Amino acid sequence: MLFSVPKEWSSTPLKCAVLSILTIWVIILTFFSLNNNIQIVFTHSFYIPIIVAAYWFDKRGILYTFVLSAVYLALVYLFSPSDAVVLVAAVWRVTVFIGISCVIALLALTIREQREVITRSEARFRGIWDSIQAGIILVDPKTHQILAANPEAR
């Protein structure tokens, strides 16, 4: 992999802190936008914490999306209680939020499962490579340099 995140950056407390900051930012933006009668553009900012939560936390990320969607609906109702068009549009947005969260969580789960399969396969290959009694040398066909050799070939 060309880019990898340091292990200390991928801890759950740090992820929770990042998600909390994103959530607070989205709620403040929502409050400000609805207070200024802006109904559409700001809702796209919800995708950031929803996607992050679904990717990092799978099923709990979907639960997070339900909670964040409920907060969004409550704020919309607070600022536009009698506007049925705005309320219906908000319900549709919440449906999209939840759908996106489910898709991202499913994809994240699939990625994790595939990584586990690759890790097991690599460990199995490494075990065979290291314990086989025949010497094996892996050579680059263009440069003719030895790329790898098992213990028996050394």
Side-chain angles (χ1 to χ4, degrees), residues 125-143:
F125 167 77
R126 191 60 54 198
I128 293 169
W129 176 266
D130 290 339
S131 65
I132 196 165
Q133 293 182 356
I136 301 173
I137 298 173
L138 186 60
V139 178
D140 185 337
K142 293 181 183 175
T143 64

Side-chain angles (χ1 to χ4, degrees), residues 30-110:
T30 300
F31 189 84
F32 174 78
S33 297
L34 291 173
N35 195 33
N36 290 308
N37 204 24
I38 300 169
Q39 299 291 332
I40 297 175
V41 176
F42 75 93
T43 57
H44 296 299
S45 65
F46 277 81
Y47 296 124
I48 298 167
I50 287 171
I51 290 171
V52 167
Y55 183 75
W56 281 345
F57 300 110
D58 300 332
K59 294 175 188 170
R60 290 178 292 159
I62 295 172
L63 178 63
Y64 165 85
T65 301
F66 274 98
V67 172
L68 188 62
S69 296
V71 169
Y72 168 67
L73 283 176
L75 287 171
V76 169
Y77 183 75
L78 179 69
F79 285 97
S80 304
S82 60
D83 194 346
V85 174
V86 171
L87 293 174
V88 168
V91 169
W92 275 110
R93 283 187 195 98
V94 164
T95 305
V96 171
F97 292 163
I98 293 168
I100 287 173
S101 179
C102 290
V103 169
I104 297 298
L106 178 66
L107 291 173
L109 187 61
T110 303

